[in-house]
Amino acid sequence: SSRGERVGSIPYGRSLAADGIHLVPNEQEMQAITRARELSTTISLQKTAAEMAKEGFLSRKGEIFAATQVWRMLKRA
């Protein structure tokens, strides 16, 4: 929500705070978003996902990002 409280799923780049209510920045995920933004300015989203995997950036499930996940990541950031 606009108050920084959880409503639904936790967006990529955020984590649930210790109080179980508020969202806080997730530094590791924020680094992935920043890198995706940098890469996507010069290569396709599919190539961005592949390059991110080579650099060790993986999804919360430990999998390679799909191009659609990269797109959503950039859209929400």
Side-chain angles (χ1 to χ4, degrees):
S1 78
S2 62
R3 297 186 320 193
E5 296 177 353
R6 179 179 177 188
V7 177
S9 63
I10 299 170
Y12 194 79
R14 302 281 182 189
S15 295
L16 194 58
D19 65 10
I21 299 171
H22 294 89
L23 299 177
V24 295
N26 178 310
E27 293 303 319
Q28 183 177 359
E29 292 179 2
M30 295 300 287
Q31 289 175 5
I33 292 168
T34 298
R35 187 62 179 137
R37 188 177 295 122
E38 292 168 354
L39 290 167
S40 67
T41 62
T42 58
I43 57 177
S44 70
L45 294 177
Q46 188 171 7
K47 288 181 180 179
T48 295
E51 183 60 31
M52 289 178 68
K54 287 180 190 175
E55 295 179 13
F57 293 105
L58 300 172
S59 73
R60 286 179 177 164
K61 294 180 181 180
E63 299 171 350
I64 295 172
F65 287 106
T68 55
Q69 290 173 302
V70 174
W71 179 80
R72 275 190 239 117
M73 186 188 310
L74 297 172
K75 182 180 173 189
R76 293 179 183 158

